[in-house]
Amino acid sequence: ETGVTQTPRHLVMGMTNKKSLKCEQHLGHNAMYWYKQSAKKPLELMFVYNFKEQTENNSVPSRFSPECPNSSHLFLHLHTLQPEDSALYLCASSYPGNTIYFGEGSWLTVV
Amino acid sequence: AQTVTQSQPEMSVQEAETVTLSCTYDTSESNYYLFWYKQPPSRQMILVIRQEAYKQQNATENRFSVNFQKAAKSFSLKISDSQLGDTAMYFCAFRVGGGGADGLTFGKGTHLIIQP
């Protein structure tokens, strides 16, 4: 139990589908993050939210759409993805300026 | 922008041995944090140890300790009495300090294998 819960843990979707990844943190943190981990690449920071406001978008394609309705929940909406988007998507949370804690990840396969 | 470099893609040691994983970083920031995270086959990213840049004393956490050389921008992880459960990917990571919500910058990782 890490305090950061991601669902679903595994997702297979077609290139024309619309799906969402969900992240919930029970740690009382104010900041939440999405990271992408692909094979043979360093972890890539995708989005940062601080007190529900998006503070960072690292040139992520618009087919990835984040949503942060409150400080405890973070979504990643997926639409018309490409096979190269297949990866492990990690959600994380923290107090601003403090240690970042990760969820167990959502494995995404785009077919 | 910050960069983190881990020059050892893979290391293998015998159980009970001591192993040191290397990490160097580059930044113009004066206030920052450094971390080592462990990612076992389950892919859960687990915090191993954290070091505040303003602290001269090296952080320790049971069998894990760091050698933080601020001037050299070096941050190595030493694992003593290594155990089979230490087998994992180890990532060195950097974070700017202060009250912002900056994310972590990660190195490419070192795959550590503990042999029985």
Side-chain angles (χ1 to χ4, degrees):
Chain A
E1 174 58 50
T2 67
V4 182
T5 304
Q6 291 186 239
T7 54
R9 295 294 314 282
H10 299 270
L11 177 63
V12 179
M13 61 184 288
M15 289 190 283
T16 58
N17 290 160
K18 284 186 183 181
K19 297 284 184 184
S20 296
L21 304 180
K22 179 184 175 183
C23 177
E24 183 174 0
Q25 59 95 1
H26 311 277
L27 301 169
H29 292 160
N30 305 112
M32 296 189 77
Y33 313 79
W34 279 117
Y35 281 85
K36 177 183 179 183
Q37 188 175 28
S38 308
K40 305 196 188 298
K41 277 186 165 185
L43 282 97
E44 302 169 69
L45 178 64
M46 300 175 72
F47 301 104
V48 180
Y49 278 82
N50 193 17
F51 291 95
K52 301 189 300 176
E53 299 298 319
Q54 187 179 123
T55 57
E56 194 160 342
N57 175 342
N58 277 341
S59 304
V60 180
S62 59
R63 58 186 184 269
F64 294 92
S65 175
E67 178 190 0
C68 188
N70 54 61
S71 293
S72 299
H73 293 85
L74 183 64
F75 296 88
L76 188 62
H77 302 302
L78 315 169
H79 177 47
T80 59
L81 295 191
Q82 304 298 312
E84 59 265 27
D85 296 322
S86 298
L88 178 68
Y89 288 85
L90 289 162
C91 175
S93 71
S94 76
Y95 292 114
N98 214 310
T99 300
I100 293 178
Y101 293 91
F102 287 82
E104 292 177 299
S106 293
W107 281 102
L108 173 65
T109 303
V110 181
V111 297
Chain B
Q2 286 68 234
T3 60
V4 177
T5 302
Q6 293 178 249
S7 58
Q8 305 151 311
E10 185 169 293
M11 297 186 71
S12 180
V13 298
Q14 297 294 124
E15 194 175 6
E17 289 183 347
T18 294
V19 60
T20 299
L21 309 182
S22 302
C23 173
T24 58
Y25 61 96
D26 192 24
T27 184
S28 57
E29 301 284 343
S30 58
N31 180 16
Y32 55 88
Y33 301 92
L34 294 162
F35 304 86
W36 280 97
Y37 282 87
K38 166 185 176 180
Q39 190 178 41
S42 68
R43 306 307 290 271
Q44 171 75 57
M45 193 73 75
I46 301 165
L47 176 69
V48 175
I49 201 163
R50 158 189 161 130
Q51 175 79 44
E52 290 86 346
Y54 63 85
K55 288 188 178 178
Q56 292 186 327
Q57 187 171 8
N58 289 323
T60 63
E61 196 71 43
N62 300 316
R63 298 183 294 109
F64 300 87
S65 61
V66 297
N67 183 2
F68 174 45
Q69 301 289 327
K70 191 172 183 178
K73 294 181 180 173
S74 170
F75 183 61
S76 60
L77 174 70
K78 185 171 89 170
I79 305 174
S80 303
D81 185 27
S82 57
Q83 300 174 359
L84 297 178
D86 295 333
T87 293
M89 284 292 292
Y90 285 80
F91 293 95
C92 179
F94 173 103
R95 186 179 193 189
V96 174
D102 299 85
L104 292 161
T105 300
F106 284 91
K108 290 186 177 182
T110 296
H111 184 204
L112 176 64
I113 301 168
I114 309 299
Q115 305 274 9

